[in-house]
Amino acid sequence: MRCIVFGAGAVGGLIAAALAPHFETALVARGAQRDAISQHGLRIVGLDGTLSTHRLETSAESGQMAPADIVFVTAKSHAVAAAADAIARSRKPNGMVIFVQNGVPWWYLLQLAPESLPPSHQALVRHFPGCAAGIAYFGGTVTAPGTVQHTGSGKLLLGAALGPADPRLALICKQLDAGPIPVEIAPDLPLALWNKLAVNAALNGIAALTKAPIADILAAPHLRSLLLGIVAEIAQLGASLGHAVDFDLQRQAALIGSNQKSSTLQDMEAGRPIEYDALFAWPQAIAERTDVPMPMLQLVAAMVLQRAKYG
């Protein structure tokens, strides 16, 4: 069975490395990341510090590759819409696409607040009326071109996003569960999404403003209080939709990596666009639709937007 991982950041790199021993695996990567992986292989620094190298077919364009049975889309949420046509071409006619993004993903917003889905995302709606999704609870960071460090020991949870569940999800879980990233079928994928979002949006927002790693945010009383306030707002929003959000700050921080910088902070420091819509704007759109107040998230999100604009 052939897999393509569309996006070679930390999450995509770790998933590609986990797939490679079990499936024919290719990677869509660009720039220095593509060049390094093509020349030296994908290098993974494990949780125990062990270095492994994975030789993968790598290209900047999925159209230059043979189509796949399974396509993991791990590109940043704001990049997925522009890549919709390329993602569709990368799968076989009966191929399965699994979207793994932070925050509120496009397929979930489509179900809850379709009027908030930007017109640019209509190609996703057209191409993928049925798709799967993953919620990544593990952490990683790209430490150099072609090198990814695994920083947190969390799981990858999979499930149906739009349409019925695909039996190939169970095959992926069976093959990968004994590997470095445990993979499971989520008994309730939307609940898993909200459990992660509650902590993820709060941590990303505060980290983007303070430039602090996760451990320092948790150790500072006032920042921790703000963090808990935002988490409570998002948990209330999830509860209004029927999801009993269950979060544990210390546990989730450990799964990501307590000394890890948040993904939003990493993007800002690298001069990349941030995942503002998925982490901040789209949760607020759902809150407006359900009349759930979120003053702390709104304030932090407004400051994050200005920080991203002015540096």
Side-chain angles (χ1 to χ4, degrees):
M1 188 172 290
R2 178 172 170 81
C3 298
I4 290 177
V5 179
F6 206 103
V11 169
L14 289 169
I15 289 176
L19 291 168
H22 309 284
F23 303 96
E24 178 189 348
T25 303
L27 188 60
V28 176
R30 294 187 171 89
Q33 190 79 337
R34 177 203 60 198
D35 295 341
I37 295 170
S38 296
Q39 293 174 21
H40 308 294
L42 173 63
R43 296 172 173 174
I44 302 294
V45 180
L47 291 170
D48 60 358
T50 302
L51 177 66
S52 61
T53 301
H54 305 266
R55 296 286 179 178
L56 303 174
E57 177 189 355
T58 307
S59 175
E61 302 296 336
S62 61
Q64 298 174 358
M65 297 175 165
D69 302 282
I70 300 170
V71 179
F72 277 88
V73 181
T74 59
K76 295 284 188 176
S77 59
H78 51 262
V80 170
D85 291 343
I87 295 167
R89 289 193 300 269
S90 70
R91 64 173 175 173
K92 293 180 179 179
N94 64 340
M96 175 177 62
V97 177
I98 304 172
F99 290 92
V100 185
Q101 276 76 47
N102 263 338
V104 173
W106 70 271
W107 54 265
Y108 192 66
L109 187 68
L110 176 67
Q111 298 173 70
L112 289 185
E115 72 282 355
S116 298
L117 193 68
S120 59
H121 286 60
Q122 290 307 308
L124 291 168
V125 179
R126 184 174 68 254
H127 283 307
F128 309 111
C131 60
I135 310 297
Y137 275 91
F138 57 89
T141 186
V142 177
T143 57
T147 302
V148 177
Q149 183 170 0
H150 191 182
T151 60
S153 59
K155 299 176 180 179
L156 175 63
L157 300 180
L158 302 178
L162 298 173
D166 191 303
R168 285 171 289 191
L169 292 174
L171 173 63
I172 295 170
C173 293
K174 181 179 179 180
Q175 293 291 337
L176 270 61
D177 191 50
I181 302 172
V183 184
E184 298 178 0
I185 299 293
D188 185 337
L189 190 67
L191 177 59
L193 187 158
W194 282 102
N195 282 341
K196 180 180 178 181
L197 177 66
V199 176
N200 201 24
L203 277 175
N204 271 279
I206 295 171
L209 297 174
T210 63
K211 300 185 179 181
I214 293 170
D216 289 1
I217 293 172
L218 296 180
H222 293 301
L223 294 180
R224 185 184 179 91
S225 178
L226 175 59
L227 177 68
L228 287 170
I230 296 173
V231 168
E233 289 181 350
I234 297 174
Q236 182 182 2
L237 179 58
S240 74
L241 299 168
H243 305 297
V245 178
D246 177 25
F247 59 90
D248 182 321
L249 285 180
Q250 297 294 346
R251 178 174 59 85
Q252 287 209 33
L255 295 178
I256 300 168
S258 295
N259 294 317
Q260 172 87 343
K261 291 182 178 180
S262 77
S263 60
T264 300
L265 179 56
Q266 291 183 55
D267 287 340
M268 282 184 170
E269 291 181 341
R272 297 187 296 258
I274 65 171
E275 296 179 288
Y276 181 81
D277 284 349
L279 286 169
F280 305 109
W282 291 350
Q284 291 180 73
I286 296 171
E288 291 173 5
R289 189 180 178 91
T290 53
D291 293 324
V292 174
M294 305 189 77
M296 284 183 278
L297 179 64
Q298 289 174 343
L299 178 60
V300 167
M303 291 190 287
V304 168
L305 190 60
Q306 295 305 307
R307 167 86 204 284
K309 182 177 180 180
Y310 295 107

